[in-house]
Amino acid sequence: FFFLMIRRPPRSTQSRSSAASDVYKRQVSTQSTWGYQFKFFKQMTNKVDVSNLDKQIEQLMACKPLPEVEVRALCDKAKEILHQESNVQPVRAPVTVCGDIHGQFHDLMELFKIGGTPPETNYLFMGDYVDRGYNSVETVTLLVALKVRYRDRITLTRGNHESRQITQVYGFYDECTRKYGNPNVWLYFTELFDYLPLTAVVEGKFFCLHGGISPSIDTLDQIRQLDRVQEVPHEGPMCDLLWSDPDERSGWAISPRGAGYVFGQDISEQFNHTNNLQMIARAHQLFKDGYMPTHSNNVVTIFSAPNYCYRCGNLAAIMEVDEQLRTQYIQFDPAPDQTLSHIPRSCLLYTSPSPRDRQKSRMPSSA
């Protein structure tokens, strides 16, 4: 076991931002004229942001990060959109379902090359956009920009890496501070992550989420009632949805990850029957072929980061669901001509620390 020290962003950054926000709110609330002018300015700014999205997307497609001020405006707009979405976001078919990306930007471009570029293809991504790969900033910014530009054609759900605690350990926090000189962009995105839907359901039949189901949840309606706008808890149903895994054993068992549970075929069959589902589609686990149907096709795992961490040699996969709800799995290799000379030595393969492990962390990892 390795013990890890969690590095927190400077408190002064958070306190200054909070204090400035409080002062500004008091000024607007007491000055109606200035409040009207600010509202008008905000409306005009939003219009400019939307009209400029295509240019931003073009820049991001070239793997060039946006300026900090544009990232903040983009995250603010995305929060407005995501706040209107459900914990179980309904998605129309046809749609292409994708698993973990983990900051492997060039492989995301390969995914779009294989599956089709938005908005020609509808996409549902099941989380873990950041950490471990070298281009988490460009990857998550592009996906958020596509969500804002094509809100009904791109669905983004939350993974266990879309959290403040995990991203401080596995690369995203460090990448943001290295590329922008401060942690502000990390703060903007981690605030945005709180608004991501926990799950999605395609035509009421394909239940899509990052991890797995929870012993605390029997129905989709129970998921809809959860308060998701928060940091991922250390335990409970929200934690389980992002951390759990299917298993060959029957029933429930504590996950060896230290967070969430493992569940057997009897559990997945009962959950699908109760909710009139055809299949659970999830991510969260690497498989050599990029996907793995289990539990007699009641569950499928999809992993969309080929040659994970630039060293695992695995294929990636996506799942296409057509209008008749037929599924097709498409495998793909890593993007060609990728050089590893710029990959930090810290980008290694390891298991994510669970929230419980992080609470016990006292010293840096030797890995």
Side-chain angles (χ1 to χ4, degrees):
F1 295 94
F2 295 108
F3 295 90
L4 303 167
M5 179 180 294
I6 300 173
R7 288 165 293 173
R8 301 288 183 183
R11 292 186 179 181
S12 59
T13 302
Q14 294 176 321
S15 61
R16 286 198 302 269
S17 176
S18 178
S21 177
D22 291 342
V23 170
Y24 182 73
K25 288 178 180 177
R26 287 197 297 270
Q27 290 175 338
V28 171
S29 64
T30 56
Q31 300 180 27
S32 58
T33 302
W34 286 107
Y36 174 80
Q37 292 177 350
F38 171 74
K39 182 178 180 181
F40 176 77
F41 173 77
K42 184 176 180 182
Q43 290 173 344
M44 293 303 296
T45 302
N46 287 341
K47 290 181 180 179
V48 172
D49 289 342
V50 172
S51 65
N52 199 38
L53 271 173
D54 288 336
K55 182 179 178 180
Q56 292 177 332
I57 290 171
E58 182 180 0
Q59 177 177 334
L60 290 165
M61 287 282 192
C63 200
K64 297 178 181 179
L66 300 180
E68 179 183 322
V69 64
E70 294 185 22
V71 173
R72 181 174 186 176
L74 187 66
C75 287
D76 287 342
K77 186 62 179 177
K79 280 192 285 189
E80 295 177 13
I81 295 171
L82 294 173
H83 187 66
Q84 301 172 20
E85 297 190 344
S86 170
N87 288 345
V88 186
Q89 178 63 12
V91 176
R92 300 285 300 275
V95 66
T96 297
V97 182
C98 309
D100 299 39
I101 303 297
H102 278 303
Q104 296 183 201
F105 176 85
H106 299 288
D107 296 320
L108 176 62
M109 295 299 98
E110 189 73 7
L111 186 157
F112 286 148
K113 180 179 177 181
I114 298 298
T117 304
E120 284 74 21
T121 300
N122 302 325
Y123 281 100
L124 193 169
F125 290 90
M126 297 186 292
D128 278 15
Y129 313 112
V130 299
D131 288 338
R132 297 198 172 119
Y134 188 64
N135 297 106
S136 290
V137 167
E138 294 85 353
T139 298
V140 70
T141 309
L142 174 60
L143 290 173
V144 171
L146 289 170
K147 174 62 181 178
V148 174
R149 179 66 175 86
Y150 309 111
R151 65 181 68 187
D152 296 324
R153 293 186 174 273
I154 302 290
T155 302
L156 303 177
T157 66
R158 193 173 190 174
N160 64 309
H161 277 260
E162 277 69 62
S163 80
R164 294 163 182 82
Q165 296 179 0
I166 288 284
T167 52
Q168 288 180 80
V169 178
Y170 289 116
F172 186 48
Y173 175 82
D174 290 334
E175 183 182 331
C176 289
T177 37
R178 184 175 69 251
K179 290 182 176 178
Y180 287 96
N182 61 66
N184 291 343
V185 165
W186 175 84
L187 288 167
Y188 304 149
F189 276 115
T190 52
E191 290 175 5
L192 173 64
F193 293 160
D194 291 345
Y195 288 82
L196 289 169
L198 301 175
T199 69
V201 62
V202 179
E203 299 290 358
K205 291 297 182 181
F206 294 86
F207 181 56
C208 302
L209 73 170
H210 183 73
I213 51 182
S214 169
S216 303
I217 292 174
D218 296 318
T219 67
L220 299 187
D221 283 338
Q222 290 175 300
I223 300 176
R224 293 184 178 101
Q225 294 169 7
L226 296 175
D227 176 14
R228 77 171 188 261
V229 185
Q230 58 176 305
E231 172 69 342
V232 180
H234 294 161
E235 58 187 4
M238 180 173 168
C239 173
D240 299 340
L241 294 171
L242 306 187
W243 281 90
S244 295
D245 299 291
D247 194 76
E248 295 179 358
R249 295 170 291 181
S250 298
W252 294 99
I254 297 295
S255 172
R257 295 178 185 267
Y261 292 83
V262 294
F263 55 94
Q265 181 173 334
D266 56 330
I267 302 297
S268 58
E269 286 180 346
Q270 181 60 52
F271 185 86
N272 287 348
H273 175 75
T274 300
N275 294 282
N276 195 27
L277 297 169
Q278 181 175 328
M279 177 185 286
I280 298 169
R282 40 93 62 179
H284 197 40
Q285 285 181 297
L286 180 152
F287 286 97
K288 181 179 178 181
D289 293 328
Y291 72 101
M292 177 61 69
T294 55
H295 293 182
S296 300
N297 284 323
N298 278 279
V299 179
V300 64
T301 299
I302 303 166
F303 197 82
S304 302
N307 193 28
Y308 184 43
C309 282
Y310 314 102
R311 60 180 292 177
C312 287
N314 61 287
L315 292 172
I318 53 180
M319 181 179 75
E320 294 183 344
V321 182
D322 67 14
E323 293 91 335
Q324 286 74 41
L325 303 187
R326 295 172 299 195
T327 60
Q328 178 182 7
Y329 300 98
I330 300 178
Q331 299 167 298
F332 62 97
D333 291 305
D337 302 324
Q338 291 194 61
T339 176
L340 301 186
S341 60
H342 62 291
I343 304 300
R345 294 180 64 186
S346 59
C347 184
L348 302 174
L349 177 65
Y350 34 67
T351 302
S352 300
S354 73
R356 296 166 194 165
D357 291 337
R358 291 194 300 274
Q359 284 186 314
K360 300 175 184 177
S361 299
R362 290 297 181 270
M363 53 190 298
S365 170
S366 59

